[in-house]
Amino acid sequence: MNVLIDIAGAGALAYAAVTIPRNARKARTLRAEAKAKTPVNIDPARYGLVPAAQLDTRSAGPDPEADAVTAAALAGDWRRAAAYLAGAGHDGDLRWYRLGILANAAAEDDTWLKAWRAEYPDDPSAALVHADALVVLAGKVRGAKGAKQTTAEQFEGFHRLLAQALPACQEAARMAPDDPCPWIAQITIALGLGWSHDAFRALWAEVTARDPYHFGAHVSALQYWCAKWRGSHELMYAFAEQAAASAPRGSLLPALRLYALLEHGTRELHEPVYDQPFVQAAVDATLDAVDQVPAGHHRLPTVRHLLADTLFLTKRYAEAVEQFRAVGGHIGSVPWTYSGNPVKAFVHARTNTFAFWEKAGCPAPAPRVRAGRR
């Protein structure tokens, strides 16, 4: 009997030795899963951050001059708009950026633009704003949703307006033969109307003959080469790499690799996109590029937003903290605008960045080796 009791006791102990740790592990796993599902919260004021309720979704960064010019144009002052565009001088990308401000204003209300064109019918800048406003209006008619969520009527209006925009762009190009902007405006037409790769390469040759390192042109062209429009992941990455690798010092074109990652990650949600071998070097090159441009550069806010998100996704929290602090409270930029709720997307990334950074002891960013240094 004692032998049987001893055997039973030993069996119970063995069972306990197996099941208790197993149950403990299961309990820990359940607690971890529950904790992971619990929203992470931080006090924005503690870190000097703009609260979620005060975030501005209209632009990537503060631009009081653009706001004032837009208000003046919509009030009928086309002369101020004309001076604003002319003020870009020979900086082709700044001209393209300012053109976007005016084209969006004209797409909202073109009364001022009609007055400008009526008084100066041969003004190439007025013709350019008119052409790009048609492209912007086409995008507004189509909407930002995917093809499955876009109606036949929206597509019809989109294609009709793009077809009207093409001769308007061609007219603007004839009036200002050296200006790359009328050619860049055609990139959206090319992807929207399904131009062939050969036709697009011919268009791209016109752009680069006038401005080979134009940032806005490259960002637009990347859309053509990405999988959601007329290309593929391979073609998109090849285009981004060529542009980034050939960029001169002082250019923000290294950020094109981050645009490509965003497009890939948005389309392939379950792929380890940010684990690719080149990603860390691409982030470092973009950080270096940001260090080389003036603090008030018109493209800097958007590139910082991309960096903040990419650094968060690659768990480089200390560096992400720097970028989130730099962008402040303006979030009208990719990657957040790719979300149906930009505020929620931004706050999620920012909150988790600061939470993980604090958990690690609030370290300073690790030093990085810049390109060209040993």
Side-chain angles (χ1 to χ4, degrees):
M1 177 67 76
N2 291 337
V3 173
L4 292 175
I5 292 173
D6 289 343
I7 292 173
L13 289 172
Y15 177 77
V18 172
T19 57
I20 290 176
R22 181 193 302 156
N23 289 338
R25 287 195 300 272
K26 185 176 180 180
R28 285 197 299 270
T29 300
L30 290 173
R31 286 197 298 271
E33 290 176 352
K35 185 177 180 181
K37 292 178 181 178
T38 302
V40 177
N41 292 303
I42 62 170
D43 178 9
R46 178 182 174 189
Y47 302 101
L49 304 174
V50 177
Q54 297 175 24
L55 294 172
D56 190 332
T57 60
R58 295 172 297 173
S59 61
D63 192 340
E65 183 182 14
D67 294 341
V69 169
T70 297
L74 294 176
D77 186 358
W78 63 263
R79 286 178 174 80
R80 185 166 181 181
Y84 176 66
L85 191 57
H90 297 294
D91 186 334
D93 190 65
L94 180 59
R95 179 173 169 81
W96 177 250
Y97 170 83
R98 291 184 173 187
L99 171 63
I101 302 296
L102 299 181
N104 274 280
E108 182 179 340
D109 182 351
D110 65 352
T111 304
W112 61 275
L113 177 58
K114 289 178 177 177
W116 182 6
R117 298 214 74 187
E119 189 159 344
Y120 290 96
D122 297 325
D123 188 331
S125 291
L128 176 62
V129 175
H130 169 71
D132 198 41
L134 287 172
V135 176
V136 170
L137 188 58
K140 290 180 180 293
V141 167
R142 184 200 180 281
K145 294 183 179 179
K148 292 181 180 179
Q149 291 79 41
T150 303
T151 67
E153 290 76 16
Q154 286 174 301
F155 273 122
E156 190 279 329
F158 177 59
H159 293 143
R160 174 172 46 79
L161 284 165
L162 289 181
Q164 293 176 21
L166 181 57
C169 289
Q170 292 168 339
E171 178 194 7
R174 285 193 296 270
M175 296 170 74
D178 296 329
D179 188 355
C181 291
W183 300 95
I184 300 168
Q186 294 178 55
I187 292 175
T188 300
I189 298 172
L191 62 89
L193 296 183
W195 289 14
S196 70
H197 288 183
D198 286 344
F200 186 81
R201 289 189 179 100
L203 171 61
W204 187 242
E206 297 286 355
V207 173
T208 54
R210 292 163 174 82
D211 194 338
Y213 306 114
H214 194 290
F215 184 86
H218 280 82
V219 172
S220 294
L222 186 81
Q223 289 295 306
Y224 178 89
W225 292 117
C226 73
K228 73 181 179 185
W229 285 105
R230 306 300 169 188
S232 64
H233 296 327
E234 293 75 17
L235 288 169
M236 173 187 67
Y237 278 123
F239 178 78
E241 180 58 34
Q242 192 279 330
S246 63
R249 182 175 176 81
S251 168
L252 286 171
L253 280 178
L256 213 63
R257 299 184 183 107
L258 305 193
Y259 277 95
L261 285 166
L262 173 64
E263 291 295 341
H264 189 176
T266 302
R267 192 169 180 86
E268 312 294 348
L269 297 176
H270 302 295
E271 287 188 13
V273 171
Y274 289 86
D275 292 340
Q276 296 180 87
F278 73 90
V279 173
Q280 298 299 339
V283 172
D284 287 338
T286 306
L287 286 166
D288 288 347
V290 163
D291 289 345
Q292 295 165 16
V293 300
H297 193 284
H298 58 285
R299 297 296 184 187
L300 195 52
T302 294
V303 174
R304 287 196 185 280
H305 281 290
L306 275 170
L307 269 172
D309 187 51
T310 307
L311 288 164
F312 162 63
L313 293 171
T314 53
K315 302 180 181 180
R316 294 171 61 167
Y317 302 120
E319 292 162 298
V321 162
E322 290 185 327
Q323 300 304 322
F324 276 113
R325 281 182 167 151
V327 299
H330 289 77
I331 64 166
S333 172
V334 292
W336 325 118
T337 51
Y338 272 29
S339 167
N341 188 333
V343 171
K344 183 178 180 180
F346 176 82
V347 169
H348 169 79
R350 185 182 70 173
T351 298
N352 281 278
T353 289
F354 277 82
F356 282 116
W357 175 64
E358 187 173 72
K359 186 177 181 181
C362 302
R368 64 182 190 276
V369 178
R370 287 172 169 78
R373 295 184 182 181
R374 296 285 182 181

